[in-house]
Amino acid sequence: EMLIGAPCKPLRWRPMARLAVLSLTLRSASAFAPVHQPWLQLKHPVEHKVGVARYRGGMGQVGGAAALRAETGATPPSDLSGDTVFGKIIRGEIPCDKVYEDDLCLAFKDVSPTAPTHILVIPKQRISQLSKAVDEIKDATSLKALLGHLMVVAADIGKQHSPNGFRTVINDGKEGCQSVYHLHIHVIGSKQLSWPPGV
C-alpha cells in the first residue's frame, strides 16, 4: 500500500474512497463493455421511442446483485380508445419478433428486454389496462375467457422459453409503470430473478 517512488505514509483506504474508486473503475469499464456483457452496463440506459411508448433499457448486474433499473410509467392518454404501438403491431404496420399468435392474442419479444427471455402477450381486442377491463368489455363471460386465455398462453410461453421458472407481470397505470395503454403480460425468465421486483 506504499506509493512507488516516494516515501510516504501508507495509503489508508477509507470506505468512501473505496466506493469512489469502485465507481470510477466500473464507469471506465462500462464505456468499453460490449452489448453481450450486461454486468458491465450499469447506468447507460438506452431509450426507445415507439409511437406513444418509451422503454428504458440498461439493467445490469454486479457481483450477482441486480442494479436498479430506472423506469417510470406514462400518464394515461385522455382518450384510452386511441391507437397505440401495439395496435399497429397487431395490424402488421410495425414489425415484431413474433413468438406466438392465435385468434385472440399475439406474443412477441420485448424491444428492450430485462432478461434473456422477455416476451409480451397482448390481446387483439383492445383493453387499455387491467383495472379498466370490466368497464371496456361489458360481457363478463367474454372478458374472463379472454383474460384466462392470455394467462394460459403466457404460461405455455414461459414453460417453453424458460423451463426452470419465469415471472409474469402486468403493469397498471402510471405508478404501476405502464408505458403502453394496451393491456400486456410480460413473461420474464431464463435467469435467476430477484425479489421483491422493482419496489
Side-chain angles (χ1 to χ4, degrees):
E1 291 187 329
M2 296 291 291
L3 294 178
I4 299 174
C8 63
K9 295 180 180 180
L11 180 62
R12 294 185 178 181
W13 290 87
R14 295 194 175 104
M16 291 303 294
R18 292 181 180 180
L19 181 60
V21 171
L22 175 61
S23 176
L24 178 61
T25 301
L26 291 173
R27 286 172 182 265
S28 300
S30 63
F32 301 98
V35 174
H36 64 274
Q37 290 182 330
W39 59 276
L40 284 177
Q41 298 171 356
L42 293 179
K43 294 183 179 179
H44 295 277
V46 179
E47 294 190 358
H48 305 272
K49 291 184 180 179
V50 185
V52 298
R54 170 179 285 188
Y55 299 91
R56 292 179 63 85
M59 181 179 179
Q61 289 190 354
V62 176
L68 294 178
R69 181 171 182 260
E71 182 171 344
T72 57
T75 301
S78 56
D79 181 9
L80 289 173
S81 65
D83 199 11
T84 71
V85 61
F86 290 166
K88 293 180 172 66
I89 290 175
I90 291 171
R91 295 192 300 270
E93 298 171 9
I94 295 178
C96 69
D97 192 351
K98 184 167 62 177
V99 173
Y100 174 85
E101 182 175 16
D102 61 27
D103 293 339
L104 298 177
C105 69
L106 174 67
F108 52 91
K109 294 183 179 180
D110 195 297
V111 297
S112 182
T114 60
T117 291
H118 190 165
I119 296 168
L120 304 179
V121 181
I122 66 174
K124 290 185 175 180
Q125 182 174 1
R126 172 69 184 278
I127 301 174
S128 62
Q129 55 193 103
L130 184 61
S131 61
K132 298 186 182 301
V134 174
D135 298 327
E136 295 174 353
I137 299 182
K138 303 300 183 180
D139 186 342
T141 301
S142 297
L143 174 60
K144 291 176 182 179
L146 176 57
L147 294 179
H149 180 73
L150 293 176
M151 291 302 295
V152 170
V153 170
D156 288 342
I157 289 174
K159 288 188 292 185
Q160 179 182 353
H161 292 266
S162 184
N164 292 325
F166 57 92
R167 177 174 295 156
T168 56
V169 178
I170 299 177
N171 297 330
D172 187 280
K174 183 176 181 179
E175 292 189 359
C177 282
Q178 185 172 0
S179 57
V180 181
Y181 281 84
H182 183 128
L183 177 66
H184 51 287
I185 302 174
H186 298 259
V187 180
I188 302 169
S190 297
K191 61 174 286 187
Q192 178 59 58
L193 302 177
S194 60
W195 190 265
V199 296

